Amino acid sequence: MTKADIIERVYETVGGFSKKEAAEIVETVFQIMKQSLTTNRKIKISGFGNFVVREKKERMGRNPHTNQPIVIGARHVLNFKPSQVLKNALNAEDGN
Amino acid sequence: MTKSELIDAVAAQTNVTKGRAEMVVNCIFDSMTEALKNGEGIEIRGLGSFTVRQYKPYHGRNPRTGEPVNVPSKRLPFFKVGKELKEMINAIDAPDDPKDNP
């Protein structure tokens, strides 16, 4: 599934949008999510899951190829924790 | 940000009503859930991709009681952050606000 498939679904299911408008609003949703993650660092979508920005401290690593020790700098990473509802949906007996 | 705050932000930035913004946001996550249910991956350019990973059954232990438990095989969604978002997030330079990450 790609963004184009999601746009198609919004166009068909929600109705009242031209294809262009459907594309624009889907784009806006993802833009807001990206912006919010950089400023608020957390998005909670009930029934789907949580996206959380986590801070990683500087640590020592090793280049697996050369075995040379290297410093892995402090950085931020994004974690996704699926909600119980989504996990259950993926493991339903009938596969649906 | 919660789903309802996302809906409010979408309504504020576009000329659609909150009710319609809600339908759009729900439709997006419903169609994503459905794709994952069918074992299909999702790729949102700039945001990231979701894949379904199959985990084998294993014998675990209840960490509290030490009692052995059988964990059945399961499917879990896995999210990999996209290049653009990864760079945006890595560019955050202020330290974490502890109340955001309890």
Side-chain angles (χ1 to χ4, degrees):
Chain A
M1 166 174 269
T2 63
K3 201 149 59 184
D5 297 315
I6 294 174
I7 291 164
E8 189 65 29
R9 274 285 293 263
V10 168
Y11 172 73
E12 284 169 9
T13 314
V14 181
F17 292 120
S18 66
K19 288 212 178 178
K20 186 168 172 280
E21 287 167 337
E24 280 167 1
I25 197 158
V26 169
E27 197 59 58
T28 302
V29 172
F30 291 126
Q31 283 301 337
I32 290 170
M33 286 175 68
K34 283 189 270 189
Q35 208 53 57
S36 177
L37 283 169
T38 57
T39 54
N40 307 312
R41 300 167 185 205
K42 196 176 203 175
I43 301 180
K44 297 194 276 188
I45 307 292
S46 69
F48 191 77
N50 297 347
F51 297 86
V52 185
V53 173
R54 297 210 175 276
E55 199 176 6
K56 293 278 194 180
K57 289 203 179 86
E58 179 184 292
R59 66 182 171 91
M60 288 305 288
R62 206 171 267 282
N63 179 330
H65 193 65
T66 64
N67 228 14
Q68 204 81 299
I70 42 164
V71 175
I72 299 171
R75 66 214 156 96
H76 286 89
V77 296
L78 178 61
N79 278 181
F80 172 67
K81 188 171 183 284
S83 82
Q84 197 59 51
V85 177
L86 180 59
K87 287 199 269 186
N88 290 344
L90 261 60
N91 292 287
E93 271 305 304
D94 59 3
N96 288 303
Chain B
M1 169 178 260
T2 63
K3 190 165 87 172
S4 63
E5 287 166 347
L6 174 61
I7 291 163
D8 290 348
V10 172
Q13 282 192 32
T14 58
N15 56 356
V16 305
T17 62
K18 278 190 191 182
R20 290 189 48 78
E22 182 173 13
M23 285 164 78
V24 169
V25 169
N26 284 336
C27 179
I28 291 173
F29 291 108
D30 288 349
S31 52
M32 286 168 71
T33 300
E34 201 178 296
L36 293 172
K37 242 195 247 183
N38 296 331
E40 201 189 324
I42 304 166
E43 194 192 331
I44 311 291
R45 192 66 51 93
L47 187 86
S49 59
F50 295 86
T51 48
V52 179
R53 290 189 176 181
Q54 178 79 46
Y55 290 85
K56 288 185 180 136
Y58 62 93
H59 301 289
R61 255 170 216 289
N62 179 329
R64 198 189 301 265
T65 63
E67 214 175 305
V69 284
N70 290 325
V71 182
S73 70
K74 60 188 169 187
R75 297 196 305 165
L76 288 177
F78 177 81
F79 174 71
K80 184 170 184 276
V81 63
K83 192 165 179 266
E84 185 197 340
L85 183 56
K86 189 178 185 170
E87 283 164 6
M88 283 169 77
I89 281 170
N90 211 14
I92 299 173
D93 50 15
D96 278 358
D97 184 340
K99 73 176 187 288
D100 286 343
N101 280 315

